Amino acid sequence: MTHSEIEVSAELVRDLLRDQHPDLTDRPLRLGARGWDNQLWRLGDDLAVRLPWATQSADALLLKEHIWLPVLAPRLPLPVPVPQRLGEPSAPFPRPWIVTTWVPGEPSDRAPVTRAAEAADALAAFLTALHQPAPDHAPIGRGRGGPLADHSEGFAKQLAEAAERGLIPDPDAVRAVWDDAVAAPAWSGPALWLHADLHPANVLTADGTICGVIDFGDLCTGDPACDLAAAWILLPDDTADRFYDAYQPAPDAATLRRARGWAVGRALSGVLIGEAGVHGRPGGKVTWGPPAHAALRRLIATAQR
């Protein structure tokens, strides 16, 4: 991550609102979260301000959400952050920013799913609704939704690092899940809309089940297996089958194999990010470790049946 040299503060956010959206200036304002790409500030009870701060690509991701989420949100059965206002680059903050609806709930890396059946059905209904053919001018992803083999070099590096650090008990079993997924037939259907970043910090829970999905910066089109990996990452043990039974149309065997590959790659990243958090290294997030380790355990166990 490359953090912006501009310090984002409540005073700065208030000044930006006063200059461009003065009708929102008097709402209560407080920091919500600092993510990979953006900072999120609560604005009253029902809105939030998102400002890029950590990566140069964040500007384009915010603008993509501003264009496409209002189109997709009405058909989605779970709440998502719908952009309401666009903030233009200015002297105090020379980057675009947006005001969105606020989605209540806790990130599932902090409040994991406990009502497994309800969560599986909610996630399946959400992805069934999202995974529709996209128009030709829809955005292309940052390497997501395409062939899994394109990520083999990065996967190998992460696997080697995790093994060297002693973070995974059976690297060969992890590699076997990946190799099987890469060998599966490629997606031959239409390019479908994808969230493409369904890790636990981007899925919200309340009362033990899934209640919202956030951060659509990686919204793109392609192979639904990229999103179907979420069953292994987000849901408790012995729940993936219920999810795949509820998702429509029913995925074929090749898609399920590719989904496992996306899941093992995402879990491996989560293990490394979690370990970095434990040791206070930049970009580390302690809460990412436990769900990632659980996902790897599930994926290996089912592969060995």
Side-chain angles (χ1 to χ4, degrees):
M1 295 191 296
T2 304
H3 293 162
S4 171
E5 295 180 359
I6 301 173
E7 180 181 355
V8 179
S9 64
E11 182 179 4
L12 173 62
V13 177
R14 186 78 69 192
D15 286 345
L16 294 174
L17 290 169
R18 185 177 295 110
D19 181 52
Q20 299 190 34
H21 301 285
D23 58 310
L24 301 178
T25 302
D26 294 333
R27 284 174 166 246
L29 182 70
R30 65 186 186 277
L31 180 64
R34 291 186 175 95
W36 288 109
D37 297 298
N38 304 291
Q39 287 197 25
L40 185 71
W41 290 76
R42 289 286 306 270
L43 186 62
D45 294 328
D46 58 342
L47 296 176
V49 182
R50 292 184 70 200
L51 306 97
W53 81 303
T55 60
Q56 291 303 312
S57 61
D59 297 25
L61 302 184
L62 279 182
L63 292 174
K64 177 169 59 175
E65 291 189 38
H66 183 261
I67 293 169
W68 288 106
L69 269 181
V71 176
L72 297 176
R75 75 172 187 227
L76 301 178
L78 289 173
V80 301
V82 183
Q84 304 293 303
R85 311 279 185 92
L86 178 63
E88 300 290 345
S90 61
F93 191 78
R95 307 181 71 173
W97 48 279
I98 59 174
V99 178
T100 75
T101 55
W102 173 260
V103 181
E106 289 293 322
S108 63
D109 60 320
R110 299 178 181 274
V113 166
T114 55
R115 292 163 55 195
E118 293 93 332
D121 291 347
L123 183 62
F126 175 81
L127 290 180
T128 295
L130 176 63
H131 288 174
Q132 302 299 317
D136 292 340
H137 61 293
I140 298 173
R142 299 186 291 181
R144 305 181 188 191
L148 194 61
D150 291 350
H151 301 269
S152 289
E153 182 178 351
F155 173 84
K157 290 180 178 178
Q158 289 195 320
L159 181 60
E161 181 181 353
E164 182 179 345
R165 294 181 181 275
L167 300 177
I168 48 178
D170 192 347
D172 290 341
V174 174
R175 163 64 74 177
V177 175
W178 177 266
D179 288 345
D180 178 71
V182 170
W187 173 248
S188 59
L192 304 182
W193 280 112
L194 308 175
H195 179 282
D197 201 21
L198 290 174
H199 57 69
N202 284 343
V203 176
L204 305 181
T205 64
D207 299 323
T209 191
I210 294 172
C211 67
V213 179
I214 61 174
D215 196 347
F216 283 74
D218 279 299
L219 181 73
C220 64
T221 66
D223 178 1
C226 178
D227 279 353
L228 296 179
W232 298 101
I233 303 294
L234 300 171
L235 301 176
D237 293 354
D238 302 319
T239 312
D241 285 347
R242 180 177 180 120
F243 166 82
Y244 289 123
D245 287 343
Y247 174 83
Q248 296 296 322
D252 60 20
T255 299
L256 294 178
R257 290 168 63 190
R258 295 192 308 277
R260 291 170 60 85
W262 283 106
V264 79
R266 196 159 292 159
L268 191 57
S269 294
V271 165
L272 291 169
I273 292 169
E275 194 258 354
V278 169
H279 294 282
R281 295 196 297 274
K285 297 177 182 292
V286 174
T287 56
W288 285 34
H293 281 287
L296 280 182
R297 175 178 50 77
R298 284 191 286 267
L299 287 158
I300 292 171
T302 55
Q304 293 174 342
R305 289 176 183 171

